[in-house]
Amino acid sequence: MLLSGNDIVVLGRLADPYGIRGWMKLQAFGDDPLSWGNMPVWWMARAGESWREVALKGLKAHGDGLLVALEGITDRNAAEALKGVLVGAPRAALPATGEDEFYWADLLDLTVVNTAGEQLGTVAGLIETGANDVLRVVGADGSERLLPFVATVVLAVDRAARQIRVEWESDW
């Protein structure tokens, strides 16, 4: 089964192989990634490719990270070939977000405007730092700003208007 990128919420990225039996480290893009183990299938794709379904064989915490095993990936070489592949799930398979909660995919491409009404750019990505997530905002001129995704900076997210209002000066 193939799905378009609009149907999928990206959950994370496959990282380095772990061991010799096809397990891989998973860079998760969100909270509570162990709950994703309740989904029997995930979807995989490299950027720009169509998503394809893959059965989940295992997901477990290991140290300060996560390990994942996928159907058909049985050795280190197969796992190495998947390094950098995105994993996701259809939005319908994911739990609804609460008030003031967002999937990272919901924030991508939103316009960032400060309290003075100046457009700072659009959200090109997010970075997980451990302390808090960080919005990577790219301006029309190609400049990049990193804004902490915390309540003192992010004042409002209006998905319908495709806009994030922030307390951040244009010259910071």
Side-chain angles (χ1 to χ4, degrees):
M1 173 184 199
L2 296 176
L3 294 172
S4 74
N6 295 336
D7 300 327
I8 296 289
V9 173
V10 176
L11 302 175
R13 177 180 295 117
L14 297 175
D16 295 317
Y18 179 82
I20 61 170
R21 297 179 189 238
W23 283 82
M24 293 164 280
K25 294 178 183 178
L26 175 67
Q27 178 188 8
F29 298 157
D31 296 333
D32 195 22
L34 287 175
S35 69
W36 306 338
N38 297 328
M39 296 182 293
V41 293
W42 286 4
W43 284 257
M44 302 181 0
R46 293 198 183 276
E49 293 180 354
S50 295
W51 292 90
R52 63 182 176 89
E53 191 174 312
V54 61
L56 179 66
K57 285 182 12 185
L59 176 68
K60 61 185 177 181
H62 180 74
D64 62 352
L66 294 167
L67 299 177
V68 62
L70 301 169
E71 189 69 39
I73 309 304
T74 58
D75 62 35
R76 186 173 183 87
N77 291 337
E80 182 70 38
L82 293 177
K83 185 174 179 176
V85 168
L86 300 174
V87 294
R91 184 174 296 278
L94 297 172
T97 56
E99 187 175 336
D100 292 332
E101 291 182 340
F102 308 94
Y103 287 109
W104 282 16
D106 296 336
L107 302 175
L108 294 175
D109 299 322
L110 296 187
T111 302
V112 178
V113 177
N114 67 13
T115 54
E118 299 169 310
Q119 185 172 325
L120 303 179
T122 58
V123 178
L126 287 101
I127 302 167
E128 184 178 13
T129 66
N132 55 266
D133 294 332
V134 175
L135 296 171
R136 190 169 65 83
V137 178
V138 176
D141 62 356
S143 63
E144 183 173 289
R145 290 181 174 87
L146 300 176
L147 282 68
F149 195 74
V150 295
T152 56
V153 174
V154 177
L155 304 176
V157 175
D158 185 343
R159 288 181 46 208
R162 306 213 29 84
Q163 187 176 87
I164 299 174
R165 194 165 62 85
V166 297
E167 181 65 53
W168 200 266
E169 297 299 320
S170 61
D171 59 351
W172 290 357

